[in-house]
Amino acid sequence: MAVPEAASEQRAGWAREGVRMAIISNRLESIARKMQNTLFRTARSGVLNTAHDFSCVVLTADCQLLASAESLPIHTLIGPDIMCETVKKYHPTLKAGDCFLHNSPYEGDSHPADHCLIVPVVDEGGTLRFFVLAKAHQADCGNSRPTTYMGHAVDVYEEGALIFSAAKIQSEYKNNEDLIRMCRSRIRVPEQWWGDYLATLGAVRIGERELLGLGAEVGWETLDQYSAAWFDYSEKKMIDAIGRLPSGKVTVHSAHDPFPGVPDGIPVKVDVEIDAAAGKIVVDLRDNIDCQPCGLNLSEGCARTAAMVGIYNGILDHSVPANAGSFRRVEVLLRENCVVGIPRHPHSCSVATTNLADRVANPVQRAMAEIAPGFGMAETGPIMPPAMGVISGKDPRHDDAPFVNQIFLGCTGGAGTPVTDGFLSIIHVGNAGLCRQDSIEVDELHHPVFVKRREILADTEGAGEFRGAPSAYAEFGPVEGCTMDVLYTADGTINPALGAQGGGPGALSQALKRELDGSLTKLPACYGVTLRPGEYVVSRSSGGGGYGLPCNRAPERVLHDVREGWVTVERARDVYGVVVSGEGQDLAVDEAATAARRAAMAA
């Protein structure tokens, strides 16, 4: 559509006024951060106030993502736009004081456990100016079992979650008590949910207040002009970033491990094409199998976002704003009723944010490394081992009150890149390290759990010139007088995180149970284990893939890892060709022996 001459001149003027644009951009980002700070500091469940599994964003009145601060990419790149469009579809007349509860994965949300509150920002004259949206992962969402990840659910009915489609939960700033009662009666920890609801509500109301104040201060017309100019600037930044890549097309394959309902696993085929001259990247996911009878199917929001996560990781230019402007240069092709596409009801999308989404994002960033050496990334470790499971039971310390919460006790898996080693605490590719590892002491205060051991495991990294992150080990169980259920959905027990440009794969994930006699029993990948006092679940997370040939790794980097206990002397010699001698702090690289070893390896 042609841009009117006056509007085009206004945009050009904004581009010249870079300082003004930067100031308003930072003001909008600060509003998203205020929303996030409110939710983080006032939420009740550990998955929010400890692990930080939430996101807050600002969108334009026509539902384009404008500002997201430090939100989780898998939550926010695509999905908030679809959800706001859904609100407008079902509620054509929006008023100040409205608020909508939405968690339908068939209409934009990531998965049913991510409750979203959406507020239209309406000025004094009744004109819709913006949307603010806060997405918060729930400790419990009413599923048929006490977990928010029903990987084994054959459909949404077995999954069991309450699903809300743009349900008006507030009018004139007053709660719809009918919806409140529904949630309280269905969710296992109603008071915890109520606290999290109020925290999320506070976040969107603060966002609304701050945007109304900003509009009064600088004028709504100014903000409209800024939004258009900011999107144009972001698009240009993306064009420039793509222009630095070589053009090319490649097909990359990945696979999710076997799971209930998919005994052979789920193969994933990703076609990636870079057109540097046109400044465009296309990801085609259409040539994949139909939706499956399990909870791994991707929602449309997660399918599109996962592909885009791989692209934004792969271009290695963090100055490109991730918003609707730069999104114009990316096309993700999906088909309906595809396991990595647009799901049809009643297929379950219970685990859509993590497992299979990672099996889309990872091959995309690996494909970019194949097309453009020096760009892209290896694969981040697959996730959801028991240390990321949902724990539940009755707390003997508090009169057997029920507890349910997801824990983040040990998950690493960062991928090697062309310039850095893997991000140790990334957790998974979709959250970009913005979720946080739990404090052992805080978890033990909040829940009747005892963490016996947590550490980094040696020789589990994907070897490379820049290695992947090593695996994490965690062992935990219930305190005396408590029986605890741990439900988890672990991928990566068979298919590891692959390396790029000659890098090696990361170590596999593993789930075990330590019996009362101390022996270990292997557990299935998707499972719910019941633990009695004295029994523990043992979790080994996946290692990240390496980037580049291990024999090209700088010897001082190898020495650092040996000193840290992450790589043994034997692996340093055998895999990296680096001979380390000495003991303790006297460890040093034997340069002559290393040169000879690497020469022999090259031969």
Side-chain angles (χ1 to χ4, degrees):
M1 185 174 67
V3 178
E5 185 175 344
S8 179
E9 179 58 31
Q10 285 176 341
R11 293 186 183 187
W14 272 94
R16 290 191 293 269
E17 294 186 41
V19 173
R20 191 181 184 194
M21 180 183 288
I23 290 171
I24 293 182
S25 175
N26 278 285
R27 290 285 297 274
L28 285 164
E29 290 291 314
S30 73
I31 290 172
R33 289 191 183 98
K34 286 182 180 181
M35 295 168 64
Q36 292 171 343
N37 192 50
T38 300
L39 211 164
F40 179 60
R41 291 182 176 274
T42 59
R44 290 186 185 173
S45 63
V47 71
L48 300 179
N49 66 31
T50 302
H52 209 272
D53 194 352
F54 62 83
S55 298
C56 298
V57 297
V58 177
L59 300 97
T60 60
D62 59 348
C63 309
Q64 297 188 78
L65 181 66
L66 184 61
S68 56
E70 289 76 37
S71 293
L72 311 187
I74 195 64
H75 276 177
T76 56
L77 297 187
I78 300 296
D81 53 341
I82 301 172
M83 290 187 279
C84 289
E85 289 167 358
T86 302
V87 167
K88 293 174 75 172
K89 172 184 174 183
Y90 294 136
H91 304 275
T93 302
L94 298 171
K95 299 178 180 179
D98 288 348
C99 180
F100 301 90
L101 172 60
H102 186 95
N103 72 329
S104 171
Y106 312 106
E107 296 169 299
D109 196 20
S110 37
H111 69 150
D114 286 335
H115 281 197
C116 298
L117 292 185
I118 305 168
V119 164
V121 179
V122 180
D123 68 13
E124 290 182 352
T127 300
L128 174 66
R129 297 296 184 178
F130 291 97
F131 284 98
V132 288
L133 181 151
K135 176 182 289 192
H137 187 101
Q138 303 300 295
D140 186 81
C141 60
N143 278 337
S144 60
R145 297 188 69 186
T147 178
T148 47
Y149 301 97
M150 295 282 288
H152 59 281
V154 298
D155 54 29
V156 71
Y157 306 116
E158 183 177 358
E159 182 183 340
L162 284 168
I163 293 182
F164 299 95
S165 175
K168 188 182 286 189
I169 200 163
Q170 275 201 333
S171 298
E172 298 179 347
Y173 298 100
K174 296 179 181 177
N175 284 330
N176 179 340
E177 294 298 335
D178 294 340
L179 295 183
I180 300 295
R181 287 195 304 275
M182 285 178 65
C183 292
R184 280 183 170 275
S185 64
R186 179 62 174 270
I187 291 170
R188 293 171 176 84
V189 280
E191 291 305 313
Q192 182 173 274
W193 169 83
W194 174 243
D196 289 346
Y197 165 73
L198 292 177
T200 312
L201 181 64
V204 289
R205 290 303 182 197
I206 280 179
E208 175 192 37
R209 181 193 71 188
E210 295 295 313
L211 283 167
L212 290 171
L214 183 60
E217 178 184 340
V218 305
W220 294 114
E221 183 179 357
T222 297
L223 289 177
D224 288 343
Q225 292 171 0
Y226 155 79
S227 298
W230 181 240
F231 288 148
D232 289 347
Y233 167 80
S234 302
E235 182 179 17
K236 184 179 183 305
K237 291 286 289 182
M238 189 63 162
I239 292 171
D240 292 344
I242 296 172
R244 289 190 286 272
L245 305 172
S247 295
K249 183 176 182 180
V250 68
T251 298
V252 176
H253 296 271
S254 181
H256 192 286
D257 290 351
F259 246 49
V262 283
D264 297 323
I266 298 177
V268 176
K269 178 186 176 186
V270 174
D271 294 309
V272 178
E273 182 172 10
I274 299 174
D275 187 337
K280 190 167 186 179
I281 297 177
V282 178
V283 178
D284 192 344
L285 299 176
R286 293 174 296 181
D287 190 15
N288 283 289
I289 62 176
D290 289 346
C291 289
Q292 295 295 297
C294 65
L296 299 176
N297 302 288
L298 296 192
S299 58
E300 180 181 358
C302 284
R304 295 190 186 279
T305 294
M308 294 176 74
V309 165
I311 289 171
Y312 279 81
N313 285 348
I315 61 174
L316 297 181
D317 186 345
H318 304 298
S319 69
V320 178
N323 62 32
S326 59
F327 296 169
R328 297 168 184 167
R329 313 310 304 178
V330 176
E331 185 176 8
V332 181
L333 302 176
L334 305 179
R335 69 174 179 86
E336 190 176 344
N337 194 39
C338 177
V339 71
V340 291
I342 303 170
R344 283 182 187 162
H345 189 277
H347 288 291
S348 172
C349 303
S350 183
V351 194
T353 52
T354 52
N355 297 38
L356 200 55
D358 291 5
R359 295 297 188 176
V360 170
N362 277 318
V364 169
Q365 62 193 38
R366 186 161 54 87
M368 294 188 70
E370 289 193 20
I371 296 172
F375 291 89
M377 296 172 68
E379 293 191 351
T380 300
I383 68 159
M384 302 298 280
M388 283 192 69
V390 177
I391 61 172
S392 63
K394 294 183 178 180
D395 192 340
R397 306 169 305 171
H398 301 290
D399 299 323
D400 283 340
F403 68 91
V404 184
N405 190 50
Q406 185 182 4
I407 54 174
F408 287 66
L409 269 173
C411 198
T412 53
T417 82
V419 292
T420 62
D421 290 337
F423 185 174
L424 181 63
S425 58
I426 191 170
I427 298 181
H428 83 118
V429 65
N431 72 28
L434 293 170
C435 280
R436 302 174 184 179
Q437 307 279 346
D438 287 1
S439 158
I440 290 175
E441 292 78 11
V442 169
D443 276 358
E444 291 179 340
L445 283 171
H446 283 178
H447 307 295
V449 62
F450 171 65
V451 181
K452 187 175 182 181
R453 179 180 161 203
R454 178 166 69 174
E455 64 184 6
I456 299 298
L457 294 171
D459 296 349
T460 55
E461 87 296 349
E465 180 177 1
F466 293 97
R467 59 153 176 77
S471 301
Y473 177 100
E475 184 171 349
F476 61 94
V479 300
E480 196 64 36
C482 176
T483 297
M484 175 186 294
D485 289 331
V486 183
L487 284 83
Y488 61 91
T489 53
D491 188 19
T493 62
I494 295 174
N495 295 299
L498 297 179
Q501 288 296 316
L508 294 171
S509 176
Q510 195 172 20
L512 303 162
K513 178 185 177 184
R514 191 174 298 281
E515 307 288 354
L516 291 173
D517 62 3
S519 62
L520 290 172
T521 301
K522 186 177 179 180
L523 297 177
C526 178
Y527 193 61
V529 59
T530 299
L531 302 174
R532 297 172 294 167
E535 297 176 333
Y536 299 90
V537 66
V538 172
S539 172
R540 294 170 60 109
S541 70
S542 301
Y547 194 107
L549 293 170
C551 60
N552 291 338
R553 184 166 176 77
E556 59 269 22
R557 286 183 174 269
V558 178
L559 177 62
H560 168 272
D561 291 345
V562 172
R563 286 174 171 169
E564 288 291 326
W566 295 355
V567 172
T568 61
V569 170
E570 293 76 17
R571 184 170 172 84
R573 181 192 64 239
D574 296 342
V575 176
Y576 294 96
V578 175
V579 179
V580 177
S581 59
E583 295 181 359
Q585 293 303 310
D586 295 327
L587 287 168
V589 175
D590 185 327
E591 295 183 6
T594 294
R597 172 64 182 159
R598 286 190 162 181
M601 291 173 69

